[in-house]
Amino acid sequence: MKKSKKKKKSNIWKIKQHRDPFFKKSKTLGYRSRASFKLIELNNKFKFIKKNTRLLDLGSYPGGWSQVASKIVTNGKILSIDIKPMTPIKNVKFLRCDIFDLETKKKISEYFGGNLDVIISDMAADTTGNKSLDSIRTNQLCAEVLNFSSKKLNSKGVLVSKLFMGEDFIEVKKLAKSIFKNVNFFKPEASRTESKETYIHCYILNSL
Ligand SMILES: C[S@@+](CC[C@H](N)C(=O)[O-])C[C@H]1O[C@@H](n2cnc3c(N)ncnc32)[C@H](O)[C@@H]1O
């Protein structure tokens, strides 16, 4: 993309952001991202984060979801992971690493000692400018998180993950149904209407 076109796009994005009610609310309430409100809505609907929850937050930077979880979880454990560095949050352990590295998976098992109740993933692949490709790459991340959850979660565990209503959506839904007994979809109001983003909520592994 040419420099001038890129700059114009970034200015339009900034104007949109400042008019956005969730962006304004996040600044007032001290949340690091407007994404916080997506997790608040998801948890109001499905009620999966409780005070004693042992929770893994994938793709946590800048920390909006971890901030929300840390306010609810007072007697559990929170581990947050991102490839980008994240400023510390009270009661949240952060690891800067790639979730798909073998070493990261080992560290997760060690931290939770095989007792993990909830995985939340807002992971998104870096944008390329090609919406269809971006959607496929983020849905691949979601599929990998689904497979990962089947090995790491308690049998009655919950997974909430971002995905896109793209061409491979049905494939991801099929995969989710092969792993979990219950699969729901929910698009929070804080998720932009023009975005194909939605969230999958899965609970109770089929092996139970
Ligand atoms: C939309 S942001 C998450 C926003 C966050 N939930 C919040 O509330 O502030 C997506 C994040 O996923 C992270 N990510 C993408 N692939 C990843 C991977 N393989 N391992 C760890 N983090 C990853 C990106 O670095 C990015 O920070």
Side-chain angles (χ1 to χ4, degrees):
M1 201 187 296
K2 275 188 182 162
K3 243 184 175 177
S4 59
K5 210 172 168 188
K6 220 174 172 181
K7 199 171 172 199
K8 196 174 165 195
K9 229 179 158 185
S10 140
N11 284 342
I12 294 172
W13 183 85
K14 274 185 197 154
I15 293 166
K16 250 183 163 179
Q17 183 85 319
H18 282 276
R19 283 185 188 151
D20 176 69
F22 290 103
F23 174 78
K24 286 185 190 157
K25 217 168 141 187
S26 65
K27 295 286 150 222
T28 316
L29 297 179
Y31 285 120
R32 293 180 189 177
S33 68
R34 63 187 296 294
S36 295
F37 299 103
K38 299 179 195 174
L39 185 63
I40 291 171
E41 283 183 63
L42 281 156
N43 195 46
N44 283 343
K45 182 156 178 73
F46 298 115
K47 305 199 172 16
F48 47 92
I49 310 178
K50 306 194 173 92
K51 66 175 183 200
N52 54 355
T53 300
R54 286 155 300 204
L55 178 142
L56 175 64
D57 180 7
L58 301 177
S60 58
Y61 170 86
W65 279 25
S66 290
Q67 284 181 300
V68 170
S70 79
K71 286 189 183 173
I72 307 170
V73 177
T74 50
N75 204 19
K77 267 181 152 188
I78 303 174
L79 177 64
S80 299
I81 292 177
D82 205 293
I83 40 185
K84 293 179 189 153
M86 188 176 90
T87 309
I89 296 172
K90 201 178 158 207
N91 299 329
V92 174
K93 177 163 172 64
F94 174 70
L95 293 178
R96 184 183 180 187
C97 47
D98 188 320
I99 169 66
F100 301 112
D101 284 352
L102 214 62
E103 200 50 39
T104 309
K105 291 179 182 170
K106 269 193 212 157
K107 284 180 184 162
I108 293 170
S109 299
E110 276 165 23
Y111 185 74
F112 290 103
N115 216 346
L116 174 57
D117 305 307
V118 173
I119 298 177
I120 52 176
S121 170
D122 198 21
M123 276 198 294
D126 281 343
T127 48
T128 60
N130 178 334
K131 282 195 177 161
S132 170
L133 180 64
D134 293 344
S135 152
I136 290 170
R137 289 174 69 223
T138 293
N139 284 2
Q140 264 168 6
L141 287 177
C142 177
E144 292 191 49
V145 171
L146 276 161
N147 285 320
F148 170 81
S149 306
S150 68
K151 296 179 197 106
K152 298 282 177 199
L153 272 178
N154 290 340
S155 49
K156 288 187 179 171
V158 175
L159 165 69
V160 169
S161 172
K162 184 205 285 293
L163 83 162
F164 284 97
M165 300 287 290
E167 47 203 273
D168 54 353
F169 172 80
I170 299 293
E171 290 306 311
V172 183
K173 184 176 169 183
K174 262 192 211 157
L175 175 66
K177 288 198 163 180
S178 73
I179 297 172
F180 287 94
K181 279 203 167 98
N182 304 282
V183 176
N184 305 296
F185 295 91
F186 180 64
K187 184 175 175 72
E189 275 181 28
S191 175
R192 298 179 200 277
T193 329
E194 68 273 21
S195 162
K196 287 192 171 176
E197 173 190 78
T198 187
Y199 287 84
I200 189 168
H201 165 257
C202 313
Y203 64 105
I204 309 185
L205 292 171
N206 272 330
S207 52
L208 190 69

